[in-house]
């Protein structure tokens, strides 16, 4: 898996929504958040990576970092919800 971690996918009752759960996030290995930044979602970059990768295959999604090991949770979890599938536009020879 990406970044040398293994993840589990959990599907919700909504067929357009799932969660990715993983333990051992390498992005937080050498990070300690000061008290004034305790609300910072340091691993939120992974949500952007997922959104960008899925958009490159014509899927518009929303992502949310639900749990983070950096904040004391036992695992990290990202929730993904499909908003729409973008129809590919094919240019004709007349364009």
């Amino acid at each position: 898996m990406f970044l040398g971690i293994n993840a589990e996918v959990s599907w919700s009752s909504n067929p357009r929504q799932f969660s990715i759960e993983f333990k051992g996030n390498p992005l937080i290995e050498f990070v300690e958040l000061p008290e004034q930044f305790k609300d910072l979602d340091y691993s939120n970059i992974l949500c952007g990576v997922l959104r960008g990768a899925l958009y490159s295959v014509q899927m518009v999604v929303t992502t949310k970092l639900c749990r983070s090991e950096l904040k004391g949770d036992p695992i990290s979890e990202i929730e993904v919800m499909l908003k729409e599938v973008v129809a590919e536009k094919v240019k004709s020879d007349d364009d």
Side-chain angles (χ1 to χ4, degrees), residues 4-5 9 11 15-16 18 32-33 40 43 57 60-62 72 88:
I5 57 175
V9 176
W11 289 93
R16 299 173 73 88
F18 63 92
E32 286 185 28
L33 289 179
L40 177 69
S43 296
V57 292
V60 177
V61 299
T62 58
E88 188 172 346

Side-chain angles (χ1 to χ4, degrees), residues 78-92:
I78 298 174
E79 189 176 276
V80 182
M81 177 176 268
L82 177 65
K83 291 297 182 185
E84 69 175 299
V85 177
V86 179
E88 188 172 346
K89 297 178 183 176
V90 179
K91 291 188 177 188
S92 66

Side-chain angles (χ1 to χ4, degrees), residues 39-82:
D39 293 330
L40 177 69
D41 287 332
Y42 186 79
S43 296
N44 211 31
I45 191 167
L46 296 175
C47 292
V49 169
L50 282 170
R51 277 195 318 268
L54 290 171
Y55 187 77
S56 72
V57 292
Q58 281 75 33
M59 293 183 187
V60 177
V61 299
T62 58
T63 56
K64 177 183 174 187
L65 185 65
C66 298
R67 295 189 278 175
S68 175
E69 292 172 273
L70 188 57
K71 293 184 177 183
D73 294 316
I75 61 170
S76 294
E77 177 182 8
I78 298 174
E79 189 176 276
V80 182
M81 177 176 268
L82 177 65

